[in-house]
Structure formats: C-alpha cells, structure tokens
Amino acid sequence: MERPTSVAGVTLSFVGAGDAFGSGGRLQTCIHVGDGTEELLLDCGATSLVGLKRLGFDPEQIGHIVVSHLHGDHFGGIPFFVLDGQFSRRKRPLVIAGPRGIRARVLAAMEVLFPGSSTADRRFTIDFVELDERVATAVGPATVTAYEVEHACGAPPFALSVDFAGRRVAYSGDTEWTEVLVEVARGADLFICEAYFFEKKIRYHLDYATLRANVSRLDAKRVVITHMNRDLLNHLPEVDLECAEDGLALMV
C-alpha cells in the first residue's frame, strides 16, 4: 500500500493505557488521534468517556471510532459514548469500524447496559463499517488496514495500520507474538504495541521480553508499549522501551 505524503502532523493521546482490570489505576484502552480538524478513536474501552472528558476532549467532535477487537476493554465504552451523544443532542454522524460482527455486538451491549437504547430516536446517525483483512478501507479522514492476529474474542482480532493526515500509526491490538506484527509496523511513524507481562508467556498476549527480542525487526520510527498489567508495571525500571500512560500526548 502506497503511503500518503503530507507535511501535516497529528497529535495522539493515550486516553487510557491500561489493561482490562485497571492495573496501576489506569483506564482501559482508548487512543485519541487528531490533526486539529478531524478526530478519531482507536478502541473505546468501558472507561473511555471518563478519560475523554478528563482530558478535555469533546465527544461530539469525534466522528469515528476504529475497534481492534471485540473485548469490553476495547469496545465497551461505545454504549456510553452513544448515550452521551443522545442526551447532549449530538448531531454529527458517528462511524464505528471494526471486525465482522461489530454492529451486532455493539447493539447487544447497548441493550444489556441500557435497555431500549439501541433503538432509541437520536439526532445523529450511526454507521457501522466491517473491516476486511488486508483491505485498505476509508474510515472518514483515515485509511485503515486490518491484519488478523492471535487473540480469542469471538470475532476476528485485528492489528491496525492507520494512515491519517500524512502519518501512519500502527497498533497491535491484543495478541501474542506473530510475524504479522512485523508487517503491520513496517513504515509506521509510530507503532503502539501491547506488552502485557514482563517475561511470562501466555496465550493470546504479548510479553515485553518477546517484544524486546524482536523490536530490531520492526521498521517503525517509534515504538510505544501499552496495555501493561501489574507484573509489567512492577518491572518498569527494567524496561527500555517507551511506555504509555494515561494522558500521554505525542506528536506523530
């Protein structure tokens, strides 16, 4: 895929950089990307609305949410985001992109959390976009390419390559080590990668030791790790890769 060219930059903010269980008091996964004109989210964990408002982001200005996989700490904030828009009289359309089945899963979550909310009258429309593996898909201001990785969640789990305002942000989502990550990171201005445990290896998640052993193979200008659990947070003095934390803002 040819890379777009532009002198523009983007600001990327870790609204939530934690795991599913609030390790270290961190919020669940949510990454805000904006260029001063357009704004989108990469993942929207259950705590995302709290984090966005804490950092001063206006949810109505966010027109697009791209979801890596269908676990609650990565998409569970969408029902709250939608309901907030309904009660604040949002008018801007919302586009939600993600793996196959995302529409059904989001609507089911809305009904579980707020019965009747999935069919309520709203002033704004919600459009769902299903991402196909290795197909560059326009999602508002971004072009998103999804790569299937190794993570059990009842639907295809994706790592994402996102071209936005002339920059490329790659994101691992949740996954154990797979050679696909080398491909996803290729040519990225920033690669955001999970590092769950420090060196313990478990299925479906990536440990820091394995990532560190392979980081020289990643053709990305910058690598930042996220989604750290308590074990890795306890080993931070031994980590020599850049680490995300809630509220961290980067220029890409």
Side-chain angles (χ1 to χ4, degrees):
M1 181 171 57
E2 184 178 353
R3 181 175 176 179
T5 57
S6 170
V7 296
V10 304
T11 301
L12 184 146
S13 300
F14 288 89
V15 177
D19 60 5
F21 311 112
S23 295
R26 297 177 176 214
L27 299 181
Q28 294 176 356
T29 302
C30 181
I31 302 164
H32 177 279
V33 185
D35 67 352
T37 302
E38 296 283 355
E39 302 177 28
L40 62 83
L41 298 181
L42 299 179
D43 280 343
C44 186
T47 55
S48 296
L49 192 61
V50 175
L52 287 166
K53 293 186 176 184
R54 181 179 294 169
L55 294 176
F57 291 118
D58 180 358
E60 187 164 359
Q61 299 305 310
I62 299 166
H64 303 81
I65 300 173
V66 184
V67 176
S68 65
H69 67 285
L70 299 181
H71 274 158
D73 57 319
H74 293 261
F75 89 100
I78 294 176
F80 301 94
F81 191 97
V82 170
L83 204 64
D84 179 74
Q86 179 179 330
F87 289 134
S88 64
R89 298 184 177 272
R90 176 188 176 113
K91 295 182 180 179
R92 182 174 184 175
L94 177 64
V95 176
I96 302 171
R100 183 179 65 251
I102 187 167
R103 182 182 188 276
R105 192 80 72 90
V106 167
L107 296 183
M110 291 178 68
E111 285 303 307
V112 167
L113 295 172
F114 303 104
S117 64
S118 69
T119 57
D121 290 333
R122 289 182 288 267
R123 293 170 179 257
F124 63 97
T125 59
I126 302 175
D127 294 318
F128 291 91
V129 175
E130 290 192 348
L131 300 174
D132 293 320
E133 187 182 12
R134 298 177 183 269
V135 175
T137 303
V139 182
T143 299
V144 180
T145 306
Y147 298 80
E148 189 164 351
V149 289
E150 301 290 335
H151 192 69
C153 57
F158 289 144
L160 302 170
S161 177
V162 181
D163 288 311
F164 179 85
R167 297 293 186 266
R168 178 166 293 170
V169 176
Y171 170 46
S172 70
D174 286 2
T175 181
E176 62 188 75
W177 176 260
T178 166
E179 291 297 301
V180 171
L181 296 179
V182 177
E183 187 174 357
V184 174
R186 187 173 297 129
D189 294 287
L190 173 65
F191 179 42
I192 303 166
C193 190
E194 112 158 306
Y196 193 52
F197 281 94
F198 180 64
E199 57 185 1
K200 180 181 179 181
K201 292 171 175 52
I202 64 169
R203 195 175 184 190
Y204 302 135
H205 284 285
L206 180 57
D207 62 280
Y208 169 77
T210 299
L211 174 61
R212 190 67 187 84
N214 285 279
V215 75
S216 63
R217 303 173 58 210
L218 302 177
D219 177 28
K221 293 180 181 179
R222 188 173 186 178
V223 176
V224 176
I225 63 173
T226 190
H227 204 269
M228 294 165 273
N229 75 357
R230 183 174 59 181
D231 171 67
L232 183 47
L233 292 173
N234 288 338
H235 284 88
L236 281 183
E238 302 168 64
V239 172
D240 64 358
L241 293 178
E242 192 171 359
C243 299
E245 59 184 30
D246 291 2
L248 175 67
L250 308 174
M251 289 300 298
V252 181

